[in-house]
Amino acid sequence: MRKWVALGLALVLAAAALAGCGRKGESSGDQDTFTFAMSGLYKPFNFQDENGDLVGFDVEIGSEIAARMGMEAKPVANPWDTLLMGLNAGKFDCIIGSMAITEERREQADFSRPYYRSGAQVFVAADNTEITTEEDIRDKKIGVVKNSTFRDAASEFTDQVTEYDSDLTALQDIGTGRLDAVITDQMVGLRVMKEGAMNIKDVGEPLWLDEMAIPVQKGNTQLLDKINQALEEIIEDGTYDRISEKWFGRSILGE
């Protein structure tokens, strides 16, 4: 009887040891992967190609950061308005999705150094002759992306603000007449104009300039330091300029 008890105990311990080894292997595998999130709806910064793969400026910057840290890049798409919640829930390591630094967001996450700078720009239909300055959008129908800093700006001019999941959808609605104007990132609109995909034009100077950076969970200084070091390397060795030239024809670092 004692032999059977001893044998049973040995088998239980062996199974537990094997299970423990399996969990350890999975954990170390996760540590080799750098998971960074974005909306996937912000062309040319991050969007899905015809194969459903995430591509764009943000994706290439994130992949380079992962390489400098000796990790495998894993970009993932997540709804824009839940990105910070997902970060703090541990769904991904950081956000590389063109997120501007704001005081409100600083309360929820720690930010890297800026990896590009851009402005909040007003765009209208190319044949629009009524809106020539920012003051002309007062009391007009304005489109913005959900939970963006552009929403607050639009609300200062009008109470007719429509929120969208995608900047491109908002810009398309200028052409349909559903909107008079869109406030979005300057680089997004200029890229659309360059491609000739829509008949739009920019109005005046940017309303303000934003600094886009990479949020990590608050207190995760180890990861933040690694990201900042990788960014510095990318900028100094010319990799940043190469990626930026590919997508915008110039550097958008803004330094």
Side-chain angles (χ1 to χ4, degrees):
M1 184 67 176
R2 286 176 182 159
K3 288 183 179 179
W4 288 113
V5 171
L7 179 59
L9 180 60
L11 289 172
V12 170
L13 291 174
L18 286 172
C21 289
R23 284 193 295 269
K24 182 177 179 181
E26 290 169 8
S27 176
S28 63
D30 290 341
Q31 291 171 359
D32 292 335
T33 301
F34 180 56
T35 305
F36 52 98
M38 57 201 63
S39 70
L41 299 171
Y42 199 46
K43 189 176 183 178
F45 290 96
N46 56 82
F47 61 101
Q48 291 184 323
D49 64 13
E50 60 275 9
N51 298 317
D53 297 323
L54 286 168
V55 296
F57 176 81
D58 287 332
V59 177
E60 294 194 22
I61 291 294
S63 296
E64 279 293 335
I65 291 173
R68 305 302 169 109
M69 297 192 300
M71 304 175 77
E72 179 185 351
K74 184 181 178 182
V76 296
N78 193 86
W80 171 263
D81 53 351
T82 62
L83 277 172
L84 285 171
M85 286 188 288
L87 174 67
N88 289 316
K91 289 179 62 177
F92 26 81
D93 299 310
C94 68
I95 299 167
I96 306 182
S98 295
M99 183 168 284
I101 302 172
T102 66
E103 290 306 313
E104 181 181 357
R105 288 170 180 163
R106 282 189 186 276
E107 294 176 2
Q108 303 176 65
D110 290 335
F111 283 80
S112 71
R113 59 148 295 161
Y115 71 101
Y116 80 88
R117 294 170 175 83
S118 187
Q121 185 71 53
V122 176
F123 291 91
V124 300
D127 59 358
N128 188 314
T129 58
E130 295 181 6
I131 300 176
T132 58
T133 71
E134 64 182 69
E135 280 302 313
D136 294 333
I137 65 174
R138 198 165 296 281
D139 299 324
K140 301 294 187 182
K141 294 177 290 186
I142 303 175
V144 296
V145 170
K146 289 179 181 177
N147 290 339
S148 67
T149 53
F150 311 126
R151 179 187 59 185
D152 297 334
S155 298
E156 294 179 9
F157 291 95
T158 183
D159 58 3
Q160 300 182 74
V161 179
T162 302
E163 296 184 84
Y164 292 80
D165 290 323
S166 163
D167 296 87
L168 295 181
T169 305
L171 290 169
Q172 287 171 348
D173 271 357
I174 293 177
T176 65
R178 293 190 183 97
L179 298 174
D180 297 307
V182 167
I183 300 177
T184 188
D185 185 271
Q186 183 185 39
M187 298 301 169
V188 171
L190 293 181
R191 172 80 180 194
V192 171
M193 290 169 59
K194 179 182 177 183
E195 293 176 343
M198 303 176 199
N199 292 321
I200 61 172
K201 64 182 179 181
D202 54 322
V203 174
E205 298 295 320
L207 301 179
W208 73 81
L209 287 176
D210 281 325
E211 293 188 326
M212 313 300 175
I214 300 170
V216 302
Q217 283 187 342
K218 288 193 75 68
N220 193 348
T221 55
Q222 183 177 10
L223 177 59
L224 192 63
D225 289 345
K226 288 181 179 180
I227 289 173
N228 278 325
Q229 181 180 346
L231 277 172
E232 293 296 339
E233 291 177 6
I234 292 167
I235 292 167
E236 289 175 6
D237 68 13
T239 302
Y240 181 95
D241 284 345
R242 175 179 59 77
I243 296 172
S244 188
E245 286 281 342
K246 171 183 175 180
W247 291 99
F248 303 100
R250 64 182 180 86
S251 174
I252 62 171
L253 186 58
E255 288 186 341

